Amino acid sequence: IPALAGHRLARVTLLDCGTFSVRGGERIIGIPAWLLTTDKGAQVLVDGGFPAAYGKDDAAAGLADGLGVFGALVDHRPEKMVAPQLALCGVAPGDLVAHVLTHGHIDHVGALDLIACPLVLTEIERADPRPRYFGAVRPLTWPEVPTLAITGDTDLCDGIRLIPTPGHTPGHLSLLLTLPEGPPLILAADAINRRSEPEEGFADSADPAASRRSADRLFALQRDTGARLIHGHEPTEWPVLPKAPQALR
């Protein structure tokens, strides 16, 4: 991404894209996206919450997508969509220089039809004819934007490292974020979506064995770097994480 040449990560902000009740209240999870800001003011978005239709009528959209078999959005209002969340940080979609997609599931693709900056994802994920979305439902097409499809660990700039972590989806990726102060952050996304997932055998994964290997790699990275690991959808983590406009760090 030429716009990030010579940049260094300076700030990480969690965007609150709503909460979701899994299987009738089995657990309540947060729907995160992330804004990464460099020392020179460049803005990078990671993921994007639910698609635009969910900002208008999430019940109708969920019914159309068949999402009710998995759960339902709660505490979800138009201001929980990715554009209003960015606006809390003084950022417009047109200000973004890159959009990193950890994977193509329904609760991560809400910015695909909103943003014209380069899309960054794994080559394997992009090889899907359409974003994976939800079950057999695949209504979205890939945006016609410049695309960086990575095949291995990739540094977008100093402090932003992308790490392929297959399993949850074949082309899933996680991030290692290194800030000027404090320990690094690992954004595991759905490579480890909750603390209990490893002992539960990665039941929500497309390939549980691959998920185990990816999780082991992230745990090893955590031990080696002293990083704080942030899960994709850990119920106990979500309420205590600072959210936009307050920076996580």
Side-chain angles (χ1 to χ4, degrees), residues 13 22 26 35 65 70-71 109 117 151 165 178 191 210 217 230 238:
T13 306
V22 177
E26 174 184 303
L35 181 66
D65 288 335
F70 187 63
V109 295
C117 67
T151 58
T165 46
T178 305
R217 184 182 180 204
I230 299 176
W238 183 255

Side-chain angles (χ1 to χ4, degrees), residues 9-117:
L9 179 63
R11 187 166 68 250
V12 177
T13 306
L14 171 57
L15 307 180
D16 178 356
C17 295
T19 51
F20 189 86
S21 174
V22 177
R23 300 186 183 98
E26 174 184 303
R27 60 184 181 273
I28 304 296
I29 61 174
I31 307 300
W34 298 89
L35 181 66
L36 311 181
T37 305
T38 73
D39 57 347
K40 298 180 181 180
Q43 308 287 354
V44 175
L45 177 68
V46 180
D47 289 340
F50 277 86
Y54 285 80
K56 300 171 184 174
D57 186 342
D58 59 78
L63 186 64
D65 288 335
L67 193 62
V69 301
F70 187 63
L73 279 155
V74 292
D75 185 30
H76 193 260
R77 308 178 296 279
E79 56 264 37
K80 297 290 188 178
M81 303 305 292
V82 69
Q85 286 293 304
L86 287 169
L88 291 176
C89 305
V91 175
D95 297 331
L96 299 166
V97 302
H99 174 203
V100 176
L101 186 69
T102 63
H103 62 298
H105 278 161
I106 187 171
D107 54 330
H108 297 259
V109 295
L112 284 181
D113 61 355
L114 179 69
I115 292 170
C117 67

Side-chain angles (χ1 to χ4, degrees), residues 121-192:
L121 72 175
T122 66
E123 185 177 82
I124 293 172
E125 197 78 8
R126 182 57 182 82
D128 280 336
R130 291 171 175 261
R132 299 177 77 85
Y133 207 70
F134 180 70
V137 179
R138 298 196 176 193
L140 300 184
T141 58
W142 293 110
E144 295 184 5
V145 297
T147 301
L148 173 61
I150 68 169
T151 58
D153 291 7
T154 301
D155 290 329
L156 281 189
C157 69
D158 187 5
I160 304 178
R161 175 164 293 182
L162 311 181
I163 302 172
T165 46
H168 185 75
T169 68
H172 189 281
L173 67 79
S174 303
L175 293 90
L176 174 65
L177 305 177
T178 305
L179 288 144
E181 296 181 358
L185 300 171
I186 295 173
L187 304 186
D190 285 4
I192 315 171

